[in-house]
Amino acid sequence: MTNSNSICNKRIRMSDQILKGLIYAAAGIAILILIGIMGYVFVRGIPQISWEFLTTVPSTRKGTFGIIGNIVNTIYIIVITLLIATPVGIGSAIYLNEYAKPGKFVRVIEFTTEILSGIPSIIFGLFGMVFFGVTLKLGYSILTGSFTLTLMILPLITRNTQEALKTVPDSYRSGALGIGATKWYMIRTILLPSAMPGILTGVILAIGRIVGESAALLFTAGSGFLLPKNLFSKLFESSGTMTIQLYLSMQKAQYDQAFGIAVVLLIIVLGINFLTKFLTSKFDVTKLK
């Protein structure tokens, strides 16, 4: 006797089929839009890419245009911002997750972090210009831009690290403490290595936000494009990143140059995403072994 309630005998509802079709259609439209935007940018921008474009700075006298100065400025800002934000963000997450007692204080900090992550970047730029640029007298410089971006990416790194630490089983903690390990030793040798995929994801996503930021840097880092005379003098000079140069090129109706910069930015962003997936999978495999 067959069971009429068996899954095999269930009829496929027309509404389920329609909803499934709508889901596939929505996914297809999103993919087509992404391919269309990237395809258009690459078609317009790739002809502008050359060795001269990547290794020179703009020169009216020589009639050349290049973005090497902007690339160097971007690297400067990425390195300085991460040197400040990464230890502070990871340390804050460790304190909130492992040391602070759950309660109103922790909830207030987490709520404040969520609010910070939702503030428009141009407001960070205004604050950075007034506080770091005017009050601390750093002016338009890499330091002003880096300090401002630090405030912007701290919530991203902190929240990602917190979520990564929460995924580590409590048995790891109790087992390490049970054999006499100190709490800091347990955090340093067990929790952080286990949570490393999530921490790395947060840091690399923060790099992506730094690379793509323009509004905040326009008010803080300025738009300088010259190469540094030495390693430290550049920190106090006006220094425009690639996104700033892209904005200025569009403002001057130099669309070919703008599309060339856009191609470089897209390649960097795609590289960051692939690096995220590679490192995450690598650490997951290592952890499973």
Side-chain angles (χ1 to χ4, degrees), residues 3 9 27 115 118 192 207 262-263 273:
N3 187 0
N9 296 328
I115 292 177
L192 289 180
I207 295 175
V263 169
N273 281 277

Side-chain angles (χ1 to χ4, degrees), residues 22-40 270:
L22 291 174
I23 292 171
Y24 277 104
I29 291 172
I31 294 171
L32 287 175
I33 291 174
L34 177 63
I35 293 174
I37 293 173
M38 293 186 63
Y40 182 75
L270 288 173

Side-chain angles (χ1 to χ4, degrees), residues 156-223:
L156 179 62
I157 295 177
T158 301
R159 293 299 292 165
N160 271 275
T161 303
Q162 267 191 285
E163 295 303 319
L165 290 173
K166 289 177 181 178
T167 61
V168 180
D170 288 335
S171 58
Y172 287 20
R173 297 173 174 84
S174 57
L177 296 175
I179 61 174
T182 62
K183 192 163 189 175
W184 172 240
Y185 184 82
M186 178 265 295
I187 292 172
R188 180 166 53 87
T189 60
I190 297 176
L191 293 191
L192 289 180
S194 300
M196 193 56 67
I199 296 173
L200 279 176
T201 300
V203 172
I204 296 175
L205 290 176
I207 295 175
R209 183 166 187 184
I210 295 170
V211 171
E213 187 53 52
S214 59
L217 292 176
L218 189 63
F219 291 140
T220 55
S223 56

Side-chain angles (χ1 to χ4, degrees), residues 262-273:
V263 169
V264 177
L265 283 171
L266 278 178
I267 292 173
I268 291 174
V269 172
L270 288 173
I272 289 171
N273 281 277

Side-chain angles (χ1 to χ4, degrees), residues 6 11 24 32 38 72 85 92 103 117 144 160 226 237 249 268 288:
S6 173
R11 292 184 178 181
Y24 277 104
L32 287 175
M38 293 186 63
V72 172
S92 301
S117 62
T144 304
N160 271 275
L226 298 178
E237 297 176 359
S249 296
I268 291 174
L288 289 173

